[in-house]
Amino acid sequence: MRKKFFPAKILLFGEYGVMENSVGISVPHNFYTGSLEFHTKFNKEILYSNYEIKKYYSFLSIIEKKRKNLIKLNLKNFYEDLRKGIFFHSNIPQGYGIGSSGALIAAIYDRYAKKKLKKCLKHAIILKKIFSHMESFFHGKSSGIDPLICYLNIPLLIRSKTNITTIKLPNNNKEKITIFLLNSGFPSKTFSMTKFFLGKLKDNNFRKILKSEFMMYNEKCVESFLKKDFEFLLKNVKNISTWIFNNLRPMIPKTLWKIWEEGILNNRYYLKLCGSGGGGFILGFTSNYEILKNQLRKYATEVVFHF
């Protein structure tokens, strides 16, 4: 079959806030991709991927029966392909917060949806709803944003659950600010991190400061990003980084506590969660990536884009 590649995604702003109907910006990251393929020879990767997708097929079979008018997948063809050894060939690291499951979901929907919705913005809301059900297998309560980004492959501004538009990213060569990924060295346990956050939301005081402080900083980040006001952007990324360090520190890998705090104190870079937290990639912002590379030379970093 013809290979169709689906990209990873990066949620620039809105981590966990989008679950509370806050604003967010998510972009595709085409350095990492995945595609459904049939094996030419067996190896451990292929066998494991096929086995895991079989478990996901069983889950989809159940929700298909419960929500007949929503997803509508050709499960018969899906089952036959699984018997033939279909697998997900991907370089997207699992548990690193950049949408490995989202790319898989997008690929499965694209191949097996009976009445597939086209990859266009006007279908974003219904696609998001479909994907939220499909994604719940991996993360429990899910927004559906990750598979939506991987499927549409365009940057999206999420203003609410029912207000999603595309945006034009700032110029990618001015190098006033660099957004980068920092590798923690181990994957996150997404389900446990999500459970931890939902537990925190049961505390009325935490929910209050989440909405009055964190969401306010997040909205200002989005506003300044869209206006290309980079000085104001960094100021509010620092506020988010500080807020997470003070209020959600268990979601930051302990091995990164020191450099997380150092970035806030020396104002050379700021770190924030990428995905669920607890491991995987960390998202960083800096106005001087060359100095940062030297300062964080013990850690693997990679540029998302300059602007």
Side-chain angles (χ1 to χ4, degrees):
M1 65 181 184
R2 185 169 65 89
K3 294 181 183 179
K4 289 187 178 182
F5 292 92
F6 294 86
K9 62 82 203 178
I10 295 177
L11 187 64
L12 297 182
F13 306 105
E15 64 274 25
Y16 285 105
V18 293
M19 294 175 66
E20 291 297 296
N21 215 29
S22 181
V23 65
I25 292 178
S26 191
V27 299
H29 188 40
N30 284 279
F31 180 79
Y32 298 102
T33 61
S35 62
L36 286 170
E37 300 178 16
F38 288 103
H39 67 81
T40 54
K41 61 180 180 179
F42 286 108
N43 61 37
K44 288 183 179 180
E45 175 200 349
I46 291 170
L47 290 172
Y48 179 76
S49 176
N50 181 263
Y51 172 74
E52 289 296 307
I53 297 175
K54 282 177 181 176
K55 291 196 293 186
Y56 186 45
Y57 163 83
S58 297
F59 168 80
L60 291 174
S61 298
I62 294 171
I63 64 171
E64 179 91 349
K65 293 175 182 177
K66 292 181 178 179
R67 304 181 179 94
K68 291 181 179 179
N69 296 322
L70 183 60
I71 300 176
K72 292 185 177 178
L73 299 176
N74 192 326
L75 293 174
K76 182 179 179 181
N77 287 356
F78 193 5
Y79 179 75
E80 289 301 317
D81 284 349
L82 284 168
R83 289 185 62 188
K84 295 173 184 176
I86 202 168
F87 73 105
F88 193 57
H89 187 217
S90 169
N91 68 345
I92 308 172
Q94 294 184 30
Y96 273 70
I98 59 171
S100 59
S101 60
L104 171 63
I105 291 166
I108 288 174
Y109 176 83
D110 182 76
R111 181 167 175 79
Y112 299 109
K114 289 181 178 179
K115 295 181 179 179
K116 183 172 64 176
L117 295 174
K118 292 182 179 180
K119 298 179 182 182
C120 58
L121 193 62
K122 70 177 182 178
H123 296 312
I125 302 303
I126 185 63
L127 281 168
K128 178 178 173 293
K129 188 175 182 181
I130 291 170
F131 290 148
S132 69
H133 291 299
M134 294 179 71
E135 193 178 24
S136 62
F137 172 79
F138 298 96
H139 307 310
K141 181 181 178 181
S142 300
S143 67
I145 291 294
D146 286 6
L148 182 64
I149 288 288
C150 299
Y151 184 67
L152 296 180
N153 197 13
I154 55 175
L156 293 179
L157 170 64
I158 304 105
R159 291 203 176 275
S160 70
K161 293 177 181 177
T162 56
N163 186 347
I164 298 175
T165 58
T166 188
I167 59 170
K168 185 177 180 180
L169 295 177
N171 193 308
N172 197 25
N173 57 21
K174 293 183 179 180
E175 299 192 25
K176 290 182 178 179
I177 290 182
T178 299
I179 299 179
F180 63 94
L181 295 174
L182 184 148
N183 193 331
S184 69
F186 55 89
S188 168
K189 294 181 180 178
T190 302
F191 185 80
S192 62
M193 288 293 99
T194 303
K195 184 178 179 181
F196 171 80
F197 181 78
L198 293 175
K200 292 279 288 183
L201 282 180
K202 294 177 182 178
D203 183 324
N204 289 332
N205 289 330
F206 176 81
R207 182 181 283 273
K208 183 178 179 180
I209 63 170
L210 178 78
K211 292 185 176 181
S212 64
E213 296 176 6
F214 177 80
M215 289 187 179
M216 178 187 68
Y217 300 144
N218 181 68
E219 287 173 5
K220 288 182 177 180
C221 281
V222 171
E223 178 186 349
S224 54
F225 182 84
L226 296 175
K227 290 182 178 180
K228 303 178 184 178
D229 186 343
F230 304 130
E231 184 177 345
F232 193 54
L233 172 63
L234 283 179
K235 177 182 176 181
N236 283 287
V237 170
K238 179 180 180 179
N239 288 335
I240 288 180
S241 183
T242 304
W243 195 93
I244 293 172
F245 191 75
N246 291 334
N247 296 282
L248 293 174
R249 197 172 306 182
M251 305 182 83
I252 304 170
K254 288 185 179 180
T255 53
L256 302 182
W257 285 5
K258 183 179 179 180
I259 64 166
W260 192 293
E261 188 174 29
E262 284 177 351
I264 295 169
L265 296 175
N266 63 33
N267 291 310
R268 288 180 179 168
Y269 61 89
Y270 307 116
L271 303 177
K272 61 198 293 290
L273 299 178
C274 180
S276 63
F281 286 122
I282 299 295
L283 195 61
F285 292 72
T286 183
S287 58
N288 196 322
Y289 186 66
E290 292 306 314
I291 290 177
L292 172 135
K293 279 197 303 182
N294 182 59
Q295 189 172 357
L296 300 180
R297 57 186 176 275
K298 293 182 180 179
Y299 300 88
T301 61
E302 59 185 79
V303 173
V304 176
F305 55 81
H306 301 287
F307 59 91

